[in-house]
Amino acid sequence: IRSVVSLPHGVRVEDCQLTFIRVIAKFPPLSALGPLRALRVECPIPSARFRTSAGFSAHRALLLHGFLWLFLPWPLLLVLQLVPRIMLRPAVLFGRACLASCLGCSRRRRRLRRLRQLVRCASRVCNVFGEGEPCCICLAGCSSSAAMIALLPCKHSLHDGCYREWIQSTAYPSPLELLCPLCRRGAQAVGLVFSAADTGGAVEEKEEDVSAPLPKR
């Protein structure tokens, strides 16, 4: 038979004594079993004075812990917690700035590489928007020294150098796509602006060459 015995408050298990005794139960159904072997547990109960002193010691320890918590150097503890955060915050901000700068530099290089590929495969186009008018980025007039390109399919013309500087600026609106500064349409190709006057001049030269008399042999 297994049983759980609840000990009084303040009683230690080490102080208890266990002895086996023979008893005769006078109530059914145990009376029919005859003499039984029982386990007697003897535990010394502390006196009231001892219990009072123990309770007083516990209260005194609790009050002592409370006073210690009140007199702890809380400002020093707060400083010890805040100093690592304050010291790590500049490092975190510096790391974020470096990451953003590296990402922006990588995107600018990819846009410039894309533009170079399109210019390398560019063909001559004429009858574009803004032909003979100032550049929409620098607002400077067309000159023979400045190369003019047209973004396709929108056919807006502008200076090649100005467009290169614009796509490399930090204020560029798109991360990777090449956009037109006027209509914000994606550029799928690039054409070299070839004015109609140059085309007409070339045609006239060819006609003059054809109409010239053949030399006599």
Side-chain angles (χ1 to χ4, degrees):
I1 300 176
R2 295 182 179 181
S3 177
V4 180
V5 179
S6 299
L7 300 178
H9 181 71
V11 176
R12 298 186 305 175
V13 181
E14 294 81 2
D15 298 337
C16 299
Q17 296 181 0
L18 305 178
T19 56
F20 288 96
I21 59 175
R22 297 181 66 85
V23 295
I24 298 175
K26 297 181 179 181
F27 51 89
L30 297 180
S31 58
L33 299 177
L36 300 174
R37 188 181 181 187
L39 179 63
R40 182 172 64 181
V41 181
E42 295 181 357
C43 299
I45 299 176
S47 60
R49 180 180 179 183
F50 178 77
R51 290 198 301 267
T52 306
S53 60
F56 179 73
S57 300
H59 286 293
R60 185 171 59 182
L62 183 61
L63 290 175
L64 181 60
H65 283 292
F67 278 113
L68 288 177
W69 276 99
L70 288 176
F71 288 102
L72 280 176
W74 292 108
L76 180 60
L77 296 177
L78 293 176
V79 168
L80 292 178
Q81 291 183 358
L82 293 177
V83 164
R85 297 181 182 179
I86 296 174
M87 294 179 64
L88 290 176
R89 182 171 295 179
V92 172
L93 295 177
F94 180 74
R96 289 181 179 178
C98 291
L99 182 61
S101 177
C102 294
L103 185 60
C105 183
S106 175
R107 290 176 176 176
R108 288 193 295 270
R109 290 182 178 180
R110 292 181 65 179
R111 293 195 298 264
L112 186 59
R113 189 183 305 114
R114 173 63 177 166
L115 178 62
R116 288 175 178 173
Q117 293 176 356
L118 294 180
V119 171
R120 193 178 299 116
C121 303
S123 59
R124 292 189 175 186
V125 293
C126 59
N127 298 327
V128 296
F129 297 104
E131 183 179 355
E133 297 180 1
C135 174
C136 61
I137 297 178
C138 65
L139 302 180
C142 299
S143 60
S144 59
S145 60
M148 297 291 294
I149 61 173
L151 303 178
L152 304 177
C154 64
K155 284 191 174 183
H156 285 135
S157 62
L158 65 168
H159 289 153
D160 183 19
C162 297
Y163 189 67
R164 290 174 184 268
E165 293 180 1
W166 184 61
I167 63 174
Q168 295 184 77
S169 63
T170 56
Y172 188 74
S174 178
L176 299 177
E177 188 179 8
L178 296 178
L179 299 178
C180 175
L182 290 177
C183 62
R184 292 295 193 269
R185 188 175 180 182
Q188 305 299 329
V190 172
L192 301 178
V193 177
F194 190 66
S195 63
D198 298 338
T199 307
V203 172
E204 290 178 359
E205 290 179 0
K206 290 182 179 179
E207 290 179 353
E208 290 177 358
D209 295 338
V210 172
S211 61
L214 295 176
K216 296 181 179 181
R217 293 182 179 178

